[in-house]
Amino acid sequence: MGLLTGKYLTPGGGPTGARLNKYKGRYAEAESRYGPRPAVLAAVRAYCQIAQEAGLSPTHLALRWVLDHPLVTSAVVGATSCGQLQELLAVGRAPPLDP
């Protein structure tokens, strides 16, 4: 859904082609749990600020954190464009986060 990318923070709720907008209503469980409610948006804003302070994109921070976690054996990602896939692959090749 891409919540941690910050794309749903823009006025109007993000790009029309974004998964939550393009398939509105098809992700009922996820929309009700993680949809753009005030508390969720506040958490995403705070997360994006942490990523910015670390000099990383929100996507990079999220995926690298998962890949670096010792109890995680794999990461499942989803891309709806070549650009998104390229970013995800680049994160996979990036060095671990600095603790």
Side-chain angles (χ1 to χ4, degrees):
M1 294 183 328
L3 287 173
L4 291 181
T5 65
K7 65 184 166 190
Y8 297 104
L9 296 176
T10 61
T16 55
R19 200 169 291 156
L20 272 180
N21 295 328
K22 188 174 184 178
Y23 302 109
K24 195 164 192 74
R26 294 187 186 170
Y27 291 106
E29 180 183 346
E31 288 175 23
S32 66
R33 189 180 317 168
Y34 306 113
R37 296 186 324 269
V40 172
L41 294 176
V44 171
R45 274 189 203 91
Y47 167 78
C48 288
Q49 182 65 38
I50 291 168
Q52 182 179 8
E53 289 170 5
L56 302 170
S57 73
T59 302
H60 187 121
L61 180 59
L63 183 54
R64 200 66 247 174
W65 185 89
V66 168
L67 294 173
D68 293 350
H69 197 286
L71 297 178
V72 175
T73 58
S74 64
V76 177
V77 298
T80 55
S81 71
C82 287
Q84 289 175 352
L85 180 59
Q86 289 171 344
E87 181 179 13
L88 294 168
L89 292 173
V91 172
R93 292 187 297 268
L97 295 173
D98 185 20

